[in-house]
Amino acid sequence: MRILLIGSGGREHAIAWKLKQSPLLTELYIAPGNAGTAQVGTNVEVDVAKHEEVASFCESEKIDMVIVGPEIPLVAGLCDHLSAKLPSIKLVGPGAAGAQLEGSKAFSKAFMAEFGIPTAAYQTFTSESIEAAKEFLRKLEPPYVLKADGLAAGKGVVIPHTLAEAEKELDEMLSGKFGEASAKVVIEEFLTGPEFSVFVLTNGEDYQLLPVARDYKRVGEGDTGPNTGGMGAVSPVPFADKYMMAKVRERIVEPTLNGLRTRGIPYTGIIFLGLINVDEEPYVIEYNCRLGDPETEVIMPRITSDLVHLFNSMFDGTLSQNQLSVDSRAAATVVMASGGYPSKYEKGKVISGLDEVKDSIPFHAGVAEQNGSLVTNGGRVLMLTSYGLTYMEAAEMSKRSATKVNFEGGFFRKDIGK
Ligand code: AMP
Ligand code: GLY
């Protein structure tokens, strides 16, 4: 199988690392990839935003399967373009209609309301309905949850603690704080409980659940400071036991797939459920149309099944027949980030000590090669994944590995797994 993987993060390095283990893989290209993906495949300079360019590459390189890592190309309709041009190509990732589950919070909340999927009570507002929005806020208890409708690189959710702050935030969002993405704002009830990430591999008919993970979103220790793309992850999640997962399947996964079919939306790829456990009841915080980052860096190492075979089974009707096999060990990943992240940070810092890391798998995110050395090239730089009998043990190992790696300003959370 000749595969093109789209993306350039730690997630894509982890997917590429796992694909590479499959005897079914004959060629792996990554567009644009990073210094890590270059170790397991061939990085190619295809402009992913130019759908025609991706289609031409697939045609000339006789690509059999395209796996899309990030949400932006999915929401932009890359898969619609590829399937129209190359009907026989296997696409792991939905078209723009399905990607709205992530691309529009107003869409996903209305979808959940229509199909009875448990989620926080909400309403959607625009600048025309700002007075009604303020009235709605006054009816809620603090803290308040305000969400930009569209994609905002993980920054579009704001949780003010006072009504005055919430009203100010609402004004700012509706007057363009997140550009077009906050022309509509969803205001919802605040839910309390531990969060977990469930990944559904589906072709719209059948599905398989991948290992459950938990992400550490805040930049600071003890879950403080601003939200990031994720500072660490662990798998499995002890409270996501068979009772909880039966509820997740019956109340969330199956109604979601039924809803997509009812609306006539085809979907082949991943549905990432961002869930919260409220007194042992699962609620949807958000849908995403792709794998999580850094969750993928703990999920891929725990899957022992052949990933190419697994993805391929979505296209030959055998998805639900294949029992996914999972390593009984736990896994944890610790993210090393550039000083200043998630705000302003500098790039181009030389990374040293990576050769010293023997007990963890170093997945590369914002890493580039410059004159033969590795340099930082993004906010999240490296994800160090380890196995352990428990995820605490795995996290300890990752932290030990992280102390061996150096770049100016680099930091990591020392409480991943706690
Ligand atoms: P989202 O981008 O929708 O996942 O939101 C980012 C983060 O904001 C989530 O991971 C939660 O920690 C928090 N959040 C979002 N919605 C709610 C809610 N209704 N209640 C409590 N926390 C929330
Ligand atoms: N780690 C959360 C996400 O990928 O959206």
Side-chain angles (χ1 to χ4, degrees):
M1 177 104 45
R2 299 172 63 81
I3 297 182
L4 170 65
L5 169 65
I6 300 210
S8 62
R11 168 181 49 210
E12 286 74 27
H13 187 191
I15 298 171
W17 170 88
K18 182 67 187 157
L19 292 169
K20 181 72 179 167
Q21 295 167 16
S22 170
L24 300 172
L25 182 79
T26 48
E27 198 71 57
L28 175 60
Y29 295 106
I30 309 96
N34 61 32
T37 61
Q39 296 168 0
V40 284
T42 308
N43 289 348
V44 287
E45 282 180 34
V46 174
D47 185 347
V48 174
K50 296 194 177 122
H51 299 173
E52 191 49 52
E53 218 177 279
V54 181
S56 305
F57 179 83
C58 291
E59 205 170 5
S60 66
E61 292 304 322
K62 299 189 173 50
I63 298 296
D64 301 299
M65 180 184 280
V66 178
I67 303 165
V68 185
E71 64 278 14
I72 290 173
L74 293 168
V75 172
L78 174 62
C79 289
D80 303 290
H81 186 89
L82 295 177
S83 63
K85 286 270 161 155
L86 307 161
S88 63
I89 204 159
K90 294 171 176 168
L91 297 169
V92 182
Q100 283 182 96
L101 282 180
E102 175 165 2
S104 166
K105 303 250 189 224
F107 173 91
S108 70
K109 294 296 284 191
F111 179 91
M112 288 186 266
E114 181 177 345
F115 299 105
I117 296 162
T119 189
Y122 81 104
Q123 283 193 32
T124 303
F125 301 96
T126 63
S127 54
E128 321 273 80
S129 51
I130 195 156
E131 284 314 314
K134 290 186 176 168
E135 212 175 297
F136 184 65
L137 279 174
R138 285 194 285 272
K139 286 192 209 133
L140 296 173
E141 295 289 324
Y144 305 89
V145 182
L146 280 73
K147 300 186 172 185
D149 171 52
L151 295 182
K155 300 194 180 97
V157 176
V158 188
I159 307 190
H161 285 260
T162 66
L163 186 61
E165 282 172 289
E167 290 189 353
K168 182 166 170 273
E169 191 59 50
L170 176 74
D171 285 332
E172 286 175 16
M173 284 170 89
L174 287 175
S175 43
K177 178 174 179 184
F178 298 106
E180 211 22 57
S182 64
K184 277 189 209 160
V185 171
V186 166
I187 300 180
E188 65 180 40
E189 165 201 16
F190 182 81
L191 301 176
T192 307
E195 293 177 45
F196 57 122
S197 304
V198 170
F199 299 92
V200 187
L201 182 66
T202 185
N203 55 15
E205 294 295 327
D206 300 320
Y207 73 92
Q208 283 271 356
L209 297 187
L210 304 183
V212 178
R214 179 162 190 194
D215 170 23
Y216 292 73
K217 282 210 168 79
R218 302 293 198 91
V219 73
E221 268 148 51
D223 286 332
T224 53
N227 267 332
T228 67
M231 292 299 292
V234 298
S235 176
V237 176
F239 67 75
D241 57 14
K242 65 177 183 199
Y243 304 104
M244 173 57 86
M245 293 313 289
K247 291 181 188 172
V248 169
R249 284 173 184 270
E250 281 161 30
R251 299 182 197 168
I252 297 171
V253 178
E254 284 152 24
T256 298
L257 298 181
N258 280 331
L260 289 169
R261 284 193 293 269
T262 304
R263 290 222 184 159
I265 299 175
Y267 202 109
T268 300
I270 307 283
I271 302 176
F272 164 177
L273 306 169
L275 303 180
I276 187 164
N277 172 358
V278 182
D279 298 328
E280 299 310 313
E281 302 299 328
Y283 285 75
V284 178
I285 289 275
E286 65 165 350
Y287 284 113
N288 296 302
C289 57
R290 50 168 175 90
L291 284 165
D293 195 357
E295 289 95 326
T296 305
E297 290 90 311
V298 289
I299 292 172
M300 289 300 147
R302 290 196 69 229
I303 295 176
T304 46
S305 305
D306 182 315
L307 190 64
V308 176
H309 185 254
L310 183 66
F311 282 162
N312 203 36
S313 71
M314 289 196 288
F315 302 92
D316 64 10
T318 61
L319 176 62
S320 55
Q321 292 159 24
N322 286 311
Q323 192 52 46
L324 184 76
S325 53
V326 176
D327 198 312
S328 60
R329 287 173 298 173
T333 198
V334 167
V335 176
M336 298 194 71
S338 296
Y341 175 79
S343 304
K344 255 182 71 176
Y345 56 82
E346 288 176 16
K347 297 183 183 179
K349 307 289 180 198
V350 174
I351 302 169
S352 65
L354 212 44
D355 294 341
E356 308 292 311
V357 174
K358 305 284 183 220
D359 301 318
S360 304
I361 311 165
F363 291 121
H364 295 203
V367 179
E369 218 183 304
Q370 211 173 67
N371 311 323
S373 45
L374 295 179
V375 297
T376 64
N377 190 37
R380 291 189 296 172
V381 177
L382 285 162
M383 285 79 173
L384 299 168
T385 299
S386 314
Y387 293 104
L389 284 177
T390 62
Y391 65 64
M392 277 304 292
E393 195 182 285
E396 284 306 317
M397 184 75 87
S398 289
K399 280 178 258 173
R400 274 203 293 279
S401 297
T403 57
K404 295 179 181 161
V405 181
N406 277 301
F407 51 88
E408 195 192 317
F411 73 99
F412 60 95
R413 266 182 71 168
K414 295 176 187 67
D415 63 346
I416 301 304
K418 292 226 171 87

PDB file of all heavy atoms in Angstrom, residues 18-31:
ATOM      1  N   LYS A  18       3.916   4.205  13.466  1.00  0.00           N
ATOM      2  CA  LYS A  18       3.082   2.994  13.558  1.00  0.00           C
ATOM      3  C   LYS A  18       2.837   2.383  12.168  1.00  0.00           C
ATOM      4  O   LYS A  18       2.889   1.157  11.996  1.00  0.00           O
ATOM      5  CB  LYS A  18       1.762   3.365  14.251  1.00  0.00           C
ATOM      6  CG  LYS A  18       0.803   2.230  14.475  1.00  0.00           C
ATOM      7  CD  LYS A  18       1.323   1.215  15.467  1.00  0.00           C
ATOM      8  CE  LYS A  18       0.384   0.004  15.510  1.00  0.00           C
ATOM      9  NZ  LYS A  18       1.057  -1.196  15.993  1.00  0.00           N
ATOM     10  N   LEU A  19       2.590   3.221  11.178  1.00  0.00           N
ATOM     11  CA  LEU A  19       2.375   2.717   9.807  1.00  0.00           C
ATOM     12  C   LEU A  19       3.606   1.949   9.333  1.00  0.00           C
ATOM     13  O   LEU A  19       3.504   0.915   8.678  1.00  0.00           O
ATOM     14  CB  LEU A  19       2.105   3.871   8.825  1.00  0.00           C
ATOM     15  CG  LEU A  19       0.793   4.640   8.982  1.00  0.00           C
ATOM     16  CD1 LEU A  19       0.824   5.900   8.101  1.00  0.00           C
ATOM     17  CD2 LEU A  19      -0.417   3.768   8.609  1.00  0.00           C
ATOM     18  N   LYS A  20       4.772   2.506   9.688  1.00  0.00           N
ATOM     19  CA  LYS A  20       6.049   1.957   9.241  1.00  0.00           C
ATOM     20  C   LYS A  20       6.240   0.509   9.707  1.00  0.00           C
ATOM     21  O   LYS A  20       6.968  -0.267   9.080  1.00  0.00           O
ATOM     22  CB  LYS A  20       7.173   2.853   9.802  1.00  0.00           C
ATOM     23  CG  LYS A  20       8.562   2.465   9.439  1.00  0.00           C
ATOM     24  CD  LYS A  20       8.835   2.749   7.987  1.00  0.00           C
ATOM     25  CE  LYS A  20      10.263   2.367   7.607  1.00  0.00           C
ATOM     26  NZ  LYS A  20      10.421   2.349   6.156  1.00  0.00           N
ATOM     27  N   GLN A  21       5.573   0.123  10.789  1.00  0.00           N
ATOM     28  CA  GLN A  21       5.722  -1.250  11.315  1.00  0.00           C
ATOM     29  C   GLN A  21       4.919  -2.268  10.521  1.00  0.00           C
ATOM     30  O   GLN A  21       5.018  -3.468  10.766  1.00  0.00           O
ATOM     31  CB  GLN A  21       5.261  -1.280  12.785  1.00  0.00           C
ATOM     32  CG  GLN A  21       6.146  -0.445  13.691  1.00  0.00           C
ATOM     33  CD  GLN A  21       5.514  -0.211  15.056  1.00  0.00           C
ATOM     34  OE1 GLN A  21       4.563  -0.883  15.449  1.00  0.00           O
ATOM     35  NE2 GLN A  21       6.037   0.751  15.790  1.00  0.00           N
ATOM     36  N   SER A  22       4.098  -1.793   9.586  1.00  0.00           N
ATOM     37  CA  SER A  22       3.219  -2.718   8.870  1.00  0.00           C
ATOM     38  C   SER A  22       3.896  -3.320   7.642  1.00  0.00           C
ATOM     39  O   SER A  22       4.408  -2.589   6.790  1.00  0.00           O
ATOM     40  CB  SER A  22       1.959  -1.967   8.419  1.00  0.00           C
ATOM     41  OG  SER A  22       1.230  -2.787   7.531  1.00  0.00           O
ATOM     42  N   PRO A  23       3.827  -4.641   7.497  1.00  0.00           N
ATOM     43  CA  PRO A  23       4.362  -5.262   6.273  1.00  0.00           C
ATOM     44  C   PRO A  23       3.535  -4.901   5.037  1.00  0.00           C
ATOM     45  O   PRO A  23       3.985  -5.113   3.907  1.00  0.00           O
ATOM     46  CB  PRO A  23       4.284  -6.768   6.575  1.00  0.00           C
ATOM     47  CG  PRO A  23       3.431  -6.922   7.777  1.00  0.00           C
ATOM     48  CD  PRO A  23       3.346  -5.607   8.483  1.00  0.00           C
ATOM     49  N   LEU A  24       2.348  -4.343   5.250  1.00  0.00           N
ATOM     50  CA  LEU A  24       1.495  -3.981   4.103  1.00  0.00           C
ATOM     51  C   LEU A  24       1.915  -2.645   3.481  1.00  0.00           C
ATOM     52  O   LEU A  24       1.474  -2.286   2.394  1.00  0.00           O
ATOM     53  CB  LEU A  24       0.029  -3.871   4.551  1.00  0.00           C
ATOM     54  CG  LEU A  24      -0.589  -5.145   5.133  1.00  0.00           C
ATOM     55  CD1 LEU A  24      -1.963  -4.851   5.719  1.00  0.00           C
ATOM     56  CD2 LEU A  24      -0.689  -6.212   4.053  1.00  0.00           C
ATOM     57  N   LEU A  25       2.766  -1.902   4.195  1.00  0.00           N
ATOM     58  CA  LEU A  25       3.184  -0.586   3.695  1.00  0.00           C
ATOM     59  C   LEU A  25       4.302  -0.756   2.667  1.00  0.00           C
ATOM     60  O   LEU A  25       5.300  -1.411   2.943  1.00  0.00           O
ATOM     61  CB  LEU A  25       3.687   0.271   4.863  1.00  0.00           C
ATOM     62  CG  LEU A  25       4.107   1.694   4.488  1.00  0.00           C
ATOM     63  CD1 LEU A  25       2.892   2.600   4.324  1.00  0.00           C
ATOM     64  CD2 LEU A  25       5.031   2.284   5.559  1.00  0.00           C
ATOM     65  N   THR A  26       4.112  -0.159   1.485  1.00  0.00           N
ATOM     66  CA  THR A  26       5.219  -0.201   0.514  1.00  0.00           C
ATOM     67  C   THR A  26       5.894   1.156   0.378  1.00  0.00           C
ATOM     68  O   THR A  26       7.096   1.234   0.144  1.00  0.00           O
ATOM     69  CB  THR A  26       4.737  -0.688  -0.865  1.00  0.00           C
ATOM     70  OG1 THR A  26       3.562   0.038  -1.218  1.00  0.00           O
ATOM     71  CG2 THR A  26       4.424  -2.182  -0.846  1.00  0.00           C
ATOM     72  N   GLU A  27       5.120   2.231   0.524  1.00  0.00           N
ATOM     73  CA  GLU A  27       5.719   3.571   0.427  1.00  0.00           C
ATOM     74  C   GLU A  27       4.945   4.506   1.341  1.00  0.00           C
ATOM     75  O   GLU A  27       3.716   4.447   1.382  1.00  0.00           O
ATOM     76  CB  GLU A  27       5.622   4.052  -1.022  1.00  0.00           C
ATOM     77  CG  GLU A  27       6.534   5.184  -1.369  1.00  0.00           C
ATOM     78  CD  GLU A  27       8.023   4.775  -1.441  1.00  0.00           C
ATOM     79  OE1 GLU A  27       8.349   3.857  -2.223  1.00  0.00           O
ATOM     80  OE2 GLU A  27       8.803   5.393  -0.701  1.00  0.00           O
ATOM     81  N   LEU A  28       5.689   5.359   2.079  1.00  0.00           N
ATOM     82  CA  LEU A  28       5.025   6.346   2.938  1.00  0.00           C
ATOM     83  C   LEU A  28       5.572   7.734   2.638  1.00  0.00           C
ATOM     84  O   LEU A  28       6.774   7.981   2.756  1.00  0.00           O
ATOM     85  CB  LEU A  28       5.271   6.002   4.421  1.00  0.00           C
ATOM     86  CG  LEU A  28       4.720   7.019   5.438  1.00  0.00           C
ATOM     87  CD1 LEU A  28       3.205   7.177   5.323  1.00  0.00           C
ATOM     88  CD2 LEU A  28       5.099   6.616   6.871  1.00  0.00           C
ATOM     89  N   TYR A  29       4.656   8.616   2.227  1.00  0.00           N
ATOM     90  CA  TYR A  29       4.995  10.026   2.029  1.00  0.00           C
ATOM     91  C   TYR A  29       4.283  10.837   3.092  1.00  0.00           C
ATOM     92  O   TYR A  29       3.157  10.505   3.480  1.00  0.00           O
ATOM     93  CB  TYR A  29       4.520  10.504   0.657  1.00  0.00           C
ATOM     94  CG  TYR A  29       5.211   9.840  -0.494  1.00  0.00           C
ATOM     95  CD1 TYR A  29       4.548   8.873  -1.247  1.00  0.00           C
ATOM     96  CD2 TYR A  29       6.516  10.193  -0.851  1.00  0.00           C
ATOM     97  CE1 TYR A  29       5.180   8.259  -2.321  1.00  0.00           C
ATOM     98  CE2 TYR A  29       7.145   9.585  -1.926  1.00  0.00           C
ATOM     99  CZ  TYR A  29       6.475   8.624  -2.654  1.00  0.00           C
ATOM    100  OH  TYR A  29       7.097   8.016  -3.708  1.00  0.00           O
ATOM    101  N   ILE A  30       4.925  11.913   3.530  1.00  0.00           N
ATOM    102  CA  ILE A  30       4.294  12.793   4.506  1.00  0.00           C
ATOM    103  C   ILE A  30       4.381  14.222   3.967  1.00  0.00           C
ATOM    104  O   ILE A  30       5.456  14.686   3.582  1.00  0.00           O
ATOM    105  CB  ILE A  30       4.969  12.730   5.899  1.00  0.00           C
ATOM    106  CG1 ILE A  30       5.100  11.269   6.376  1.00  0.00           C
ATOM    107  CG2 ILE A  30       4.153  13.508   6.931  1.00  0.00           C
ATOM    108  CD1 ILE A  30       6.421  10.630   6.097  1.00  0.00           C
ATOM    109  N   ALA A  31       3.237  14.911   3.948  1.00  0.00           N
ATOM    110  CA  ALA A  31       3.210  16.293   3.452  1.00  0.00           C
ATOM    111  C   ALA A  31       2.681  17.211   4.538  1.00  0.00           C
ATOM    112  O   ALA A  31       1.548  17.041   4.947  1.00  0.00           O
ATOM    113  CB  ALA A  31       2.312  16.388   2.218  1.00  0.00           C
TER     114      ALA A  31
END
